[in-house]
Amino acid sequence: MKKIKYLAFGISIVLLSFYLYKNFIYYSIPFNPIKEYASESKIDFFMTKNIPDGEGINTKCKDTNTCDLVLEYFSDLKLVPIKDKAAYEMFKYENSTFYTGMLTFNESDKILISDISIDSPNLLHISSSIDGFKSGYYKIVDSTFDYNYIYNLISETET
C-alpha cells in the first residue's frame, strides 16, 4: 500500500513539473530556433513589406554575403517564446504595415519569419517546414527588430 502511495506521489510530482515547465518555465528561457541554422550554406532570403492598403513590396537577397549577414542578424536576436494569446494582444493587425521574411536553405528547407509589425517591432512569428522546428511567437529581448537594417541590406528590389 505504501508503494502505491509513493508511486502516485511520484507521478503527480512529475506531472506537476511537466505542467509548470510547459506553461511557465518554457516561456522564460531565451531560445532562438534560427541559431541552429546559422552555419548553413546556400541560403536565400526573401522579404515582403505588407502595406495596409493591400500592396506588398518584395525584395530578394541574391548575394551570398548579404544573405549570410541577414542570417547572422536573425540568429543573433535574443528571443523568448511567448504564448499565442499574449502575442495576439501585443500585435496590432488592423491598418498596420508588417514584414514577412523567408530563409531558404538548400532550396528545400524554409524558415518563415512573419508578423513583424512596425507598431510592435519586438514580436515575431517563426515557423518552418523543417521537422522538429519549434514554431511559435517570440519576443525580442533587449532590443527591437531593425527592419530598416534588413531592408537596406538587401539592395535589389523587385515589385
Side-chain angles (χ1 to χ4, degrees):
M1 192 68 163
K2 277 188 170 183
K3 290 181 182 181
I4 293 175
K5 282 183 181 180
Y6 288 128
L7 182 62
F9 180 73
I11 290 173
S12 62
I13 292 294
V14 168
L15 291 175
L16 180 63
S17 299
F18 181 72
Y19 173 80
L20 288 173
Y21 174 77
K22 189 171 181 167
N23 291 301
F24 301 104
I25 297 170
Y26 173 76
Y27 294 105
S28 63
I29 300 172
F31 174 71
N32 186 337
I34 301 172
K35 190 170 234 147
E36 296 176 31
Y37 305 96
S39 62
E40 291 286 331
S41 61
K42 293 181 72 177
I43 63 166
D44 291 323
F45 182 70
F46 177 80
M47 188 169 192
T48 302
K49 181 179 182 180
N50 302 293
I51 301 171
D53 63 6
E55 294 183 28
I57 300 170
N58 299 323
T59 59
K60 184 173 182 174
C61 179
K62 293 184 178 181
D63 179 47
T64 304
N65 293 330
T66 305
C67 288
D68 289 343
L69 289 172
V70 169
L71 179 60
E72 181 182 333
Y73 177 79
F74 279 112
S75 64
D76 287 344
L77 289 174
K78 186 175 178 185
L79 303 175
V80 174
I82 62 172
K83 295 181 181 182
D84 290 349
K85 185 178 179 180
Y88 292 136
E89 291 173 3
M90 291 174 64
F91 190 74
K92 300 172 178 98
Y93 285 100
E94 297 178 17
N95 296 324
S96 177
T97 299
F98 62 95
Y99 292 90
T100 301
M102 184 177 358
L103 291 163
T104 305
F105 304 97
N106 301 321
E107 299 178 12
S108 61
D109 294 333
K110 297 176 181 7
I111 296 177
L112 181 65
I113 303 156
S114 59
D115 295 351
I116 306 167
S117 171
I118 291 177
D119 298 332
S120 304
N122 61 344
L123 176 70
L124 47 97
H125 184 267
I126 303 173
S127 60
S128 179
S129 64
I130 301 169
D131 289 335
F133 191 88
K134 300 214 185 235
S135 298
Y137 280 95
Y138 291 85
K139 183 177 180 182
I140 301 172
V141 181
D142 297 337
S143 67
T144 58
F145 183 75
D146 191 357
Y147 45 83
N148 287 324
Y149 170 74
I150 297 294
Y151 215 71
N152 291 333
L153 194 59
I154 303 169
S155 59
E156 183 174 334
T157 303
E158 300 173 357
T159 52

